[in-house]
Each structure stands twice: as C-alpha cells, then as structure tokens.
Amino acid sequence: MQFIKKNSISTVTPFTVTMSKQRSGSRNTSIHSRPSQHTINIPASHSLMYKSKSGCCQQCCTTENLKEQALLIATIASVIIGIGVGVALRGLKCPGDEYVNGCRITKEDITYIDFPGKIFINILKMLILPLIVSSIISSLAQLDAQSSGKMGVRALVYYFGTTIIAAIIGIILVVVIRPGSRGVSVEKKAAAKSAEARTIDTVLDLFRNLFPDNIMEAAFRSVGTKLNVTRVVATGLNNQSYNKTLFDPIIEKRDGINVLGLLLFCILFGVIISRLKEKAIILKKFFEAMLEVVMQLVRIAMLYSPIGIFFLIVAKMLEMDTLTDFVGSLGLYMATVLAGLFIHGFIVLPLILFIITRINVFKYIRGMSQALVTAFGTASSSATLPVTYRCVEEKNHIDPRVSRFVLPVGATVNMDGTALYEAVAAIYIAQLNGIPLNFVKIIVTSLTSTLASIGAASIPQAGLVTMVIVLNALGLPSDEVRTIYAVDWLLDRFRTAINVFGDSIGCAIVQHLSRHELKALDNKEKIAILNGINDSRTIVPLIVPSNQRVSIAFDNPTFIDPQGTISDTDDADDNTKRTAF
C-alpha cells in the first residue's frame, strides 16, 4: 500500500466503494456493485511529521512537553530547596511556645508554614472519590466479564507476590545488618501513636469495609475496630494467681473514604454496564466524560504541586525534635530500610518488568518521576493517585482500560514499601530488646507484615499504626512502636514512593499479560463499527485528521466528502466517481 507519493497524494484502496456525482456539482451518495478508483489528497505537511528524526525531535520539544519537564524540574527542586530551607530555619526554632532567646518560630508558626502544603493535599484528596468511581466504572464498562476477571486475577497475583518479596528482602537485610544490636540506645518518643490491635480484628475490618451497609456513607466514612484492653490478676485452680488480658472490641465509624467498599461496588457496577451493552450506553458515556473532566482538574492541580510540596517539606524539617535521631542505632535502622526499598524499587521491580514485558525500564522510571516526587512530598498513595494516572497513561502509554482498573486497586492493597518497613521494624525492635527470633517467628513476621500492609490505609504514617499487629504476632509489647517514631515520617515518604512505583509497574505487567484479551476486544469493536458502516443508511464523513495517518478498509460503506478532498481520476464516466480508501 502506497501512503506517500511525490505529489503529496496518499492513496488507500477499499474493497468496493463507489460514489455518484450529480451534474449540478452537488454529491449524492449511492452504492454500486462495480469497483472504482479515486485518490485522497493529503497535504505533505500533515502526514510527514513522523517521517524523519528531525520531525520526532520537533514533536518531543513541543510546548506541552516543555511545560511538563519544567513542572517536573520545579517539583524536584522544591523538595531539595525545602530540605535546605527547613534545616536552615531550625536555628530560629523556639523550644516552646514563647519567643525567647532570639527565637522566631514557634509551634504555632510551623502550622502556618504547613498550611499551603495541607491545601495541596486537600486538593488531591478532593479528586480521589470522583477519580476512583469514574475510572473503574469506565474501564470495566469497556471490557467483558471474562477479560476483567482475568485482569483482576493477574493484578492481585502480582500485588501479593511483590509484597511478599518486599517483606523477605527486608527480613534478610535486618537479620544480616542487625541494626538493633549496634549503636547507642534509642529514646522512646512520648508523642508516638500506640494502640492495641489483633490480627483477627484487622481481617474482619477488611471484610466489613468490603461490604458497607451504606454506599453513600462509604464515600466519607469507613469501619474500624477499637480494642479496649484490660489486664487483671485472676485466680485459677489451686488458688494460683496469674495475669489475664481481657479484650473488648468495639466497632466504630471512622472519617475517611472507604476505598475497599467503593472498589467492590464500582467493579460490579462497571461489569454490569458491560453486560447490558446498548441499554447502559448512557451511563458508560457519562462516566467516561466524568473521568475526562477529573483528569483536566488534575492537570490544573499539579501546577500548584511545587509550592505545596515545598511547604510540606519545610514544615516537617522544623517539626523534628533533633537531627541526632538520624545517627546511632536508629540511623542504622534507617539505612537498612532505605537499602531494602532501593533494592526492591530499583532492582527487583524493574527486573520483573523487563523479564515479563521487555520494555525499557529506564524510560518507564523517567515517565513516573512526577508521581514519585509527589508521593515523596505528600506521603500518601491515595493523594498521589491522580498524578499516577497522568504519568501512567500519558507518559508511559498504558492502556486506560488497564490503568483505570489496576491503579485504584493497587493504591489500596499493594503496599510493598510498607510490608518491607514493618518487617524490618519488627525485627529491629526485637533486637533492641534482646529477644531472639527463630525461623518460625521470622516466617510469621513476613506473613503478618504482608497482611498488615494490605490492611494499612493509604494515608500518611498508617503503617505505624498497623505495626502493632506485627509486634503482637512476635510477642512484643505494642509500646515499643514509639522507638521508631522519630524517623518514621521520613521513611514513610520513601516507602510511599515505592508503593506508587509498584502500582505503576503492575499496570505495565497486567497490560502485557492481557494483550490478547485487549486485542480481541479491539477487534470486536472494529467489527461492530464495520457492521454499522455497511448499513446503507450510514454516512461516514471523510475527514482525515491533520496529525494522523489513517488507513481504512471497508466492505461497502457510503461516504460524504465535506472538505472536498477527493480528486476525480476516472475520465471514462462523468456521472460516477469511484473512491479509493
């Protein structure tokens, strides 16, 4: 097939298409049985943009791409400058709430500094609910039940598999490095969160949130178990006294989106729309349009990201009690966690991606850079979700039908960085207390850390709360979680970035494994379009976009030519025009 001629005419040939022309010059469309031949004139300036390398370079250096690069550079710079400014301003920090000894920044002033950053997080969280609902429903509405089921199974297998691998990497590093057996003792922070929790309550809470009693309430409230613990001295047989722990679980409503319940509802809603086909076409188009509107809002919100992330980092640096928390045993613990996150995020995950898909992992990582920086600044997978959508679809060119289904699920259940962090932290605390761990307890650590990471909400420092589950599984007191509180805020940012990166790699892997199902769906859509075009009542405007090269083969369609792009090459018959497409 010849696309580009010297005279800038592109020729495309159909099976059998004819077009009749009235003597008055106006065109009436009709169908004839005999074949014909026409050419379509396409200006060379519109079709040769992709022809040479210089054209590719011009396309890469468009105004839109330059704006994206400038935004990424500004976001990265805001993190670096924020750390520098935060450290510099620590000399002006007041020890209390009074301006004494020349200090200029009190705790109240820090809240003012943090205010622009909180606004940025609120903007992103505002978009989470419409984004999750519209993305999942519009994605599954385009798939059949069998394809969506296979895609979901592949995504869950990937998520659980990589989470267990992350926990194992953390366990190996903390056992080899032994940060709890080296350095000075660690001071426990009184402000640390400490709560009682049981594994069974976490599992039951997962199912309670999966099936909310009110789907509207799930948009702003979730269910959780508050465990009241009472320790008493009881008397047993032979009047022997022993310590007894009484648990009183109380089911309570908590503020925050019930992502699990919304996920399940939207998945079922989207599958039903897919099964109803034409009957639910209005709903399908509504959620597709809603998603486009939300993505436009995300683009606008990202213009504020450098400012918001800068103030978040500065405020966090000022909130630190002392920089000496990063040295000694706690510093070695930080190095262990960061080493594990680096190995998992930049060696294991890219290796899995390359082995399965054979794509350029460095280019893929570069495409995700904006989402990774935003995850580091916000420390929230859910808040980063709108940015992750943009990076995955627009920069790494993942099929929206895959990303819109896989990413919301991953933001909820895929917590690679959290699983690694909790495994390292639990064994580190055991080392600090001189408690030896056998092989069985290490296996229990890997399993419970995986489970706890899935149950962790995708909000800042949620892993510190679910950490209690892992400590209870090892027989350690829950109060020991205060040991790592001083550095948790920083590690939380790194592990959130790894969580987001793991979600994005899951999209590429699921798309590759589901390529045959996606191709079959595309073929079905093409057949449906052709069947509609073959109807003699169907009129297709012959308009070739200026930035695309299109080749079409139709069996017997009817065309109109509103732009007058068809040139007549049939001199034998003035009344009949034969069109080559």
Side-chain angles (χ1 to χ4, degrees):
M1 182 179 293
Q2 184 179 2
F3 284 98
I4 305 298
K5 290 184 178 181
K6 293 182 180 180
N7 59 354
S8 303
I9 295 178
S10 177
T11 303
V12 195
T13 305
F15 294 105
T16 304
V17 180
T18 64
M19 181 176 290
S20 65
K21 180 175 67 177
Q22 292 180 343
R23 295 186 182 275
S24 62
S26 62
R27 300 186 180 185
N28 287 336
T29 56
S30 62
I31 299 177
H32 301 277
S33 58
R34 67 187 185 90
S36 60
Q37 180 65 35
H38 272 74
T39 58
I40 303 170
N41 296 327
I42 302 177
S45 61
H46 291 169
S47 57
L48 294 177
M49 294 177 64
Y50 57 90
K51 187 175 180 181
S52 62
K53 291 183 179 180
S54 61
C56 295
C57 294
Q58 292 175 0
Q59 191 174 7
C60 293
C61 296
T62 60
T63 304
E64 187 67 24
N65 288 332
L66 290 176
K67 288 181 179 179
E68 290 289 339
Q69 296 300 324
L71 180 61
L72 174 61
I73 294 173
T75 306
I76 296 175
S78 67
V79 175
I80 299 174
I81 297 175
I83 294 175
V85 172
V87 173
L89 291 179
R90 287 185 59 84
L92 300 177
K93 181 182 176 182
C94 298
D97 297 329
E98 300 292 336
Y99 296 101
V100 294
N101 299 327
C103 66
R104 292 291 183 269
I105 301 176
T106 63
K107 292 182 179 180
E108 183 179 359
D109 296 329
I110 295 176
T111 61
Y112 299 148
I113 296 174
D114 193 38
F115 178 75
K118 293 296 184 183
I119 293 297
F120 174 62
I121 294 180
N122 290 344
I123 292 174
L124 293 179
K125 288 184 176 181
M126 175 184 63
L127 300 173
I128 293 175
L129 179 60
L131 185 62
I132 290 178
V133 173
S134 60
S135 64
I136 294 182
I137 294 178
S138 63
S139 172
L140 294 179
Q142 302 177 47
L143 304 173
D144 54 35
Q146 184 178 7
S147 299
S148 58
K150 291 182 179 179
M151 193 181 299
V153 170
R154 288 164 183 157
L156 291 178
V157 169
Y158 164 79
Y159 289 149
F160 286 121
T162 53
T163 302
I164 292 176
I165 291 174
I168 293 174
I169 292 174
I171 290 173
I172 293 174
L173 288 177
V174 73
V175 170
V176 172
I177 299 176
R178 299 188 63 83
S181 303
R182 304 178 183 179
V184 298
S185 60
V186 181
E187 179 185 357
K188 298 179 182 179
K189 301 296 181 179
K193 300 176 182 178
S194 178
E196 296 287 349
R198 297 183 301 181
T199 305
I200 184 62
D201 294 323
T202 302
V203 175
L204 293 178
D205 286 342
L206 288 176
F207 284 98
R208 292 189 185 103
N209 286 313
L210 270 175
F211 304 97
D213 55 356
N214 188 333
I215 192 61
M216 300 301 295
E217 186 182 27
F220 59 89
R221 190 174 294 165
S222 60
V223 178
T225 300
K226 179 180 179 182
L227 194 64
N228 293 328
V229 180
T230 305
R231 293 178 174 84
V232 298
V233 178
T235 303
L237 299 176
N238 300 325
N239 294 325
Q240 292 181 351
S241 300
Y242 64 94
N243 295 325
K244 184 178 181 180
T245 303
L246 302 177
F247 298 98
D248 181 22
I250 300 175
I251 311 301
E252 62 180 9
K253 301 285 186 177
R254 297 174 180 174
D255 292 335
I257 299 177
N258 180 5
V259 180
L260 285 175
L262 289 176
L263 282 177
L264 182 60
F265 177 82
C266 293
I267 288 173
L268 296 177
F269 200 86
V271 170
I272 297 300
I273 290 179
S274 175
R275 293 172 66 92
L276 292 177
K277 299 183 184 298
E278 296 299 327
K279 294 181 180 179
I281 191 66
I282 296 178
L283 279 175
K284 178 182 176 181
K285 292 185 178 297
F286 168 77
F287 285 108
E288 288 176 352
M290 179 179 176
L291 180 61
E292 291 299 325
V293 172
V294 175
M295 293 307 294
Q296 291 294 331
L297 292 175
V298 171
R299 293 185 180 94
I300 297 174
M302 287 313 299
L303 299 176
Y304 181 64
S305 60
I307 300 175
I309 291 175
F310 169 78
F311 284 101
L312 284 173
I313 298 298
V314 172
K316 277 298 178 183
M317 296 301 297
L318 290 174
E319 286 178 359
M320 291 178 55
D321 293 334
T322 174
L323 294 178
T324 58
D325 292 331
F326 297 106
V327 298
S329 176
L330 204 55
L332 195 57
Y333 157 74
M334 279 186 57
T336 304
V337 175
L338 293 178
L341 294 176
F342 178 83
I343 293 173
H344 183 73
F346 297 100
I347 297 179
V348 175
L349 291 180
L351 189 61
I352 295 175
L353 177 64
F354 177 75
I355 291 174
I356 296 178
T357 65
R358 301 293 180 179
I359 67 175
N360 188 334
V361 295
F362 298 103
K363 184 178 179 181
Y364 196 88
I365 294 174
R366 185 179 64 185
M368 292 303 303
S369 53
Q370 181 75 48
L372 297 180
V373 175
T374 305
F376 182 85
T378 61
S380 173
S381 300
S382 293
T384 313
L385 188 58
V387 189
T388 310
Y389 270 107
R390 286 197 61 202
C391 294
V392 166
E393 295 179 6
E394 299 179 9
K395 298 183 180 179
N396 287 329
H397 310 294
I398 299 299
D399 193 317
R401 291 173 295 183
V402 176
S403 61
R404 295 169 186 176
F405 172 55
V406 173
L407 283 180
V409 178
T412 305
V413 302
N414 184 41
M415 298 290 177
D416 296 354
T418 304
L420 187 149
Y421 151 81
E422 290 182 347
V424 173
I427 299 179
Y428 167 72
I429 291 174
Q431 292 173 355
L432 281 178
N433 290 272
I435 301 175
L437 298 178
N438 53 29
F439 180 76
V440 175
K441 285 194 173 183
I442 290 178
I443 296 297
V444 170
T445 302
S446 63
L447 294 177
T448 54
S449 60
T450 302
L451 176 63
S453 66
I454 296 173
S458 48
I459 58 175
Q461 292 187 301
L464 195 63
V465 179
T466 58
M467 183 61 168
V468 177
I469 299 173
V470 185
L471 295 179
N472 289 339
L474 296 177
L476 298 172
S478 59
D479 289 343
E480 293 295 328
V481 75
R482 295 182 298 174
T483 304
I484 58 176
Y485 179 77
V487 297
D488 181 76
W489 69 271
L490 181 60
L491 295 178
D492 188 27
R493 281 162 163 70
F494 284 102
R495 65 178 183 258
T496 301
I498 297 301
N499 292 340
V500 171
F501 186 52
D503 297 343
S504 67
I505 287 185
C507 287
I509 291 176
V510 172
Q511 175 182 262
H512 181 78
L513 297 178
S514 305
R515 62 190 183 279
H516 299 300
E517 289 85 356
L518 295 173
K519 185 176 181 181
L521 290 173
D522 291 337
N523 291 334
K524 288 182 180 179
E525 292 180 0
K526 291 178 182 178
I527 293 173
I529 294 174
L530 293 176
N531 289 336
I533 292 176
N534 284 335
D535 187 354
S536 60
R537 294 169 298 177
T538 304
I539 298 178
V540 180
L542 182 58
I543 302 176
V544 181
S546 60
N547 61 345
Q548 297 182 16
R549 181 179 68 179
V550 182
S551 60
I552 311 173
F554 294 134
D555 189 15
N556 203 16
T558 302
F559 297 103
I560 62 174
D561 182 24
Q563 294 182 340
T565 57
I566 300 179
S567 62
D568 192 356
T569 60
D570 190 354
D571 298 328
D573 190 352
D574 293 335
N575 295 328
T576 305
K577 298 186 70 175
R578 292 174 287 184
T579 306
F581 237 109

